[in-house]
Amino acid sequence: MTLWNGSYPFYPGANACFPFDTTRAVIVTIFLSMLATSIIILPGIRGRRRLFWFLRLVLGLSMGAVILTVQFTRDWETGWVQANTSYKSFSPVQVNTDIGLHIGLAGVNITLRGNPVNQINETINYNEHFPWNFGADYDRSYSQGLQKGLPSPILYVAEKFSKQSPCAVHRQYRIAGHYVSLTLWLAFCTWLISILLFSMSILLYGGHMLLLTATLILSSLLFFSTARNTPKCPIQFGSASLRTGYGESFWLTLAAGLLCLLLGLGVIVLNSVQPEKLKLIFSLDKSSKGEMWDKSCLPAEPSCSAQDGLTVPLGELCHVTATQL
């Protein structure tokens, strides 16, 4: 006879880990498709304008992809520890595992991987997500994990971020994640506006929008840093301690913010000091507009009309033969 309506209460099997983040893959695929489509027209651009156009394209798409991707990543803050710990509650059996903590804007991911993966006749390879974004209940997800009978290390780490935990870090991370997400969405909008302004050859205002984008991105990093620097409870597994540091998404966002800052300042400075070079970078120099100016219509040309002849000096007037009706 079994408990829980005929099912065993503990560990029916490990959750399968998907090999990659599908959201990140979709965003990267979209931006790479845009890049590949734009490269098709690259041979039609002549001279050095081709290089400048390609650089603008790569930099613009890269910044947009980074701003959009880090919204959905779960590695703003990460940490790993290798420890011998109990695998099941109320069991003296211990296993050697690698335990990972990954904090994102929308929740926390906890990874448990056996070392080796197969131990005590089980496959130890877990990756559990506990959300705290709008519309999600962290404590409810934690309770569901208890009902499923997740391994003890995962429940132990997840409990540190619950509302009832004495660590009191749930509120800080949740509010910081909301503000960071909102600020990054605003940065994505200002990036789109800057791309539109540059395409309309309004270079100075495009540089200002890049500066605003950089300000929003760097502000989002400041919001996240305030939450991370709050005092935390230690996460101990015997003598080993799980410590976290800034993850890949944080440093990638910082690089995008600094790049936007440098590009925005560069556009504004060049527009004030050497506007001709700025026009050359954006293919607005006189040589690129040479084909737009046609030669003046001369009287000897067949297309010269009587109306055009009125604007020509008297010595060069077209001879018009009038026919009497």
Side-chain angles (χ1 to χ4, degrees):
M1 184 174 181
T2 59
L3 301 175
W4 300 82
N5 297 325
S7 62
Y8 291 96
F10 294 112
Y11 326 109
N15 291 341
C17 298
F18 207 68
F20 56 87
D21 188 351
T22 54
T23 304
R24 182 185 301 185
V26 170
I27 295 174
V28 172
T29 302
I30 292 174
F31 277 88
L32 287 179
S33 300
M34 295 171 60
L35 178 62
T37 304
S38 302
I39 289 178
I40 295 176
I41 66 174
L42 192 61
I45 304 175
R46 298 180 180 179
R48 55 186 174 182
R49 287 183 296 167
R50 179 186 304 172
L51 176 61
F52 292 139
W53 186 87
F54 181 73
L55 289 177
R56 296 199 309 269
L57 176 67
V58 172
L59 290 175
L61 290 179
S62 299
M63 287 187 294
V66 169
I67 296 173
L68 189 59
T69 302
V70 294
Q71 288 271 9
F72 308 99
T73 54
R74 299 172 181 177
D75 55 354
W76 279 74
E77 184 178 350
T78 60
W80 284 92
V81 65
Q82 183 177 0
N84 291 317
T85 181
S86 61
Y87 179 61
K88 301 178 180 180
S89 300
F90 313 110
S91 174
V93 179
Q94 291 195 340
V95 293
N96 185 269
T97 58
D98 293 323
I99 306 167
L101 175 61
H102 314 277
I103 302 175
L105 304 181
V108 58
N109 264 60
I110 303 173
T111 303
L112 179 67
R113 186 180 304 127
N115 192 14
V117 175
N118 295 314
Q119 297 183 51
I120 60 173
N121 296 325
E122 292 193 31
T123 300
I124 304 175
N125 191 12
Y126 288 82
N127 185 19
E128 297 292 331
H129 180 64
F130 300 90
W132 55 46
N133 56 326
F134 286 119
D137 189 347
Y138 185 93
D139 288 345
R140 184 168 178 267
S141 300
Y142 177 72
S143 299
Q144 290 176 350
L146 287 172
Q147 294 176 5
K148 289 191 300 182
L150 293 177
S152 295
I154 294 180
L155 296 175
Y156 169 68
V157 177
E159 186 182 8
K160 298 289 185 180
F161 294 89
S162 63
K163 293 179 182 179
Q164 288 76 21
S165 174
C167 298
V169 295
H170 174 85
R171 185 172 180 272
Q172 286 84 346
Y173 273 104
R174 184 172 182 268
I175 294 177
H178 293 165
Y179 277 107
V180 171
S181 180
L182 176 61
T183 308
L184 288 177
W185 278 120
L186 292 176
F188 185 74
C189 294
T190 55
W191 169 80
L192 288 176
I193 296 174
S194 68
I195 295 297
L196 179 61
L197 292 174
F198 285 135
S199 64
M200 297 171 60
S201 303
I202 309 177
L203 306 183
L204 180 60
Y205 291 105
H208 289 161
M209 292 308 297
L210 275 182
L211 282 183
L212 180 57
T213 303
T215 302
L216 291 171
I217 293 175
L218 297 178
S219 298
S220 68
L221 299 177
L222 181 62
F223 291 148
F224 188 81
S225 298
T226 55
R228 185 185 179 276
N229 291 329
T230 56
K232 298 188 183 111
C233 295
I235 304 177
Q236 292 288 142
F237 295 94
S239 60
S241 177
L242 176 58
R243 302 182 183 276
T244 60
Y246 290 120
E248 177 184 348
S249 295
F250 182 90
W251 297 115
L252 196 59
T253 307
L254 177 61
L258 294 178
L259 181 60
C260 285
L261 180 63
L262 293 177
L263 292 177
L265 289 175
V267 169
I268 294 175
V269 171
L270 282 179
N271 185 77
S272 302
V273 178
Q274 293 181 333
E276 295 301 326
K277 286 189 176 181
L278 182 62
K279 292 179 180 180
L280 177 63
I281 294 175
F282 284 89
S283 303
L284 299 177
D285 53 327
K286 294 181 180 179
S287 61
S288 64
K289 294 184 177 180
E291 298 177 356
M292 297 176 58
W293 301 97
D294 296 328
K295 294 181 179 180
S296 300
C297 179
L298 297 177
E301 295 181 356
S303 62
C304 182
S305 62
Q307 187 178 9
D308 294 333
L310 295 176
T311 61
V312 181
L314 292 176
E316 301 180 2
L317 282 175
C318 297
H319 296 283
V320 180
T321 303
T323 303
Q324 185 176 2
L325 298 176

